Amino acid sequence: MKAIHPKITEVLTGTFKVPAQEVLSESTMDSLEMDSLAVAEFAVIIKETLGVDADSEKLYKDATLADISAYIDDAVGSAAAEAAVPVSNTR
């Protein structure tokens, strides 16, 4: 959560004008008064900036920011691990 939470905070405060003091690990999109269109836009921004694709309705609607951060951390870590796996050309 430590690596991704600042990016989430930046997006929520900058793009959606959520007060920084409300961006807590236990906050949900509902508690931040993010409607379904805002949640979908948030998901697109996260995909564009971090390369993480997720179903906005399933992941973001009821999840806490801690849950979202953990999911994104795992997805970014998995993508980085896959990119680092060497491919052998020997048969």
Side-chain angles (χ1 to χ4, degrees):
M1 173 152 160
K2 292 177 185 172
I4 299 301
H5 191 73
K7 182 63 180 172
I8 289 174
T9 300
E10 178 185 322
V11 171
L12 291 172
T13 59
T15 303
F16 299 100
K17 308 301 183 213
V18 174
Q21 66 271 17
E22 292 181 20
V23 182
L24 306 171
S25 59
E26 64 272 9
S27 298
T28 64
M29 293 297 179
D30 280 341
S31 71
L32 297 175
E33 298 182 10
M34 300 273 288
D35 63 17
S36 58
L37 182 59
V39 171
E41 185 178 350
F42 178 79
V44 169
I45 292 169
I46 293 300
K47 180 177 179 168
E48 289 174 351
T49 58
L50 300 173
V52 176
D53 192 13
D55 179 347
S56 61
E57 193 62 32
K58 284 184 182 176
L59 177 63
Y60 299 115
K61 192 65 177 163
D62 296 321
T64 65
L65 294 184
D67 296 335
I68 294 168
S69 294
Y71 175 83
I72 294 170
D73 273 336
D74 289 346
V76 169
S78 294
E82 288 176 15
V85 174
V87 177
S88 174
N89 290 333
T90 60
R91 292 180 182 210

